[in-house]
Amino acid sequence: QAQLVESGGGTVQTGGSLTLSCAASGGTIRFFSKGWFRQAPGKQREFVAGINWNSGSTYYSDSMKGRFIISRDNAKNTVSLQMNGLKPEDTAVYYCAASSLSVVLTEHSANYWGQGTQVTVSS
């Protein structure tokens, strides 16, 4: 059974850094493109970053570009999100997603979701 499991969430002060990890297992999901989304309280889930599993091409939301870095480890079937310069508005539940498409940029393009991991940035 295909699944995504996130880890690495927690609480950090403003300006700090945090790295999230997502492990993919089961079937062909490890070859799917991967992405990160987040959902803050009272807001819709939004795209953060995505990566094409074959080419390694990366995609970022404009508001996260330059602060967040998405990367993959093919051998470990993991995708990571390094978050730097964190702000209180980055507080949200962060979700890992996988898609059979070449890139996952929207919720509707995701075939699988992880359970989410909480990131809290204190001021």
Side-chain angles (χ1 to χ4, degrees), residues 1-99:
Q1 183 176 357
Q3 65 174 355
L4 301 169
V5 179
E6 301 103 332
S7 61
T11 300
V12 64
Q13 291 187 332
T14 297
S17 298
L18 207 58
T19 298
L20 307 180
S21 184
C22 173
S25 62
T28 58
I29 191 175
R30 62 186 183 276
F31 302 120
F32 283 18
S33 62
K34 308 295 191 303
W36 289 95
F37 291 73
R38 70 183 187 185
Q39 186 168 21
K43 295 187 176 182
Q44 290 186 328
R45 188 151 50 183
E46 63 174 341
F47 169 76
V48 174
I51 187 166
N52 179 285
W53 204 250
N54 292 323
S55 67
S57 297
T58 57
Y59 307 84
Y60 296 93
S61 169
D62 286 344
S63 61
M64 270 68 87
K65 194 176 296 183
R67 294 193 300 127
F68 292 6
I69 301 172
I70 188 171
S71 62
R72 76 192 196 288
D73 186 325
N74 289 6
K76 296 181 179 179
N77 297 323
T78 59
V79 59
S80 297
L81 183 69
Q82 180 182 338
M83 304 182 293
N84 304 311
L86 285 164
K87 308 172 184 179
E89 50 264 41
D90 293 318
T91 295
V93 177
Y94 284 71
Y95 296 90
C96 179
S99 174

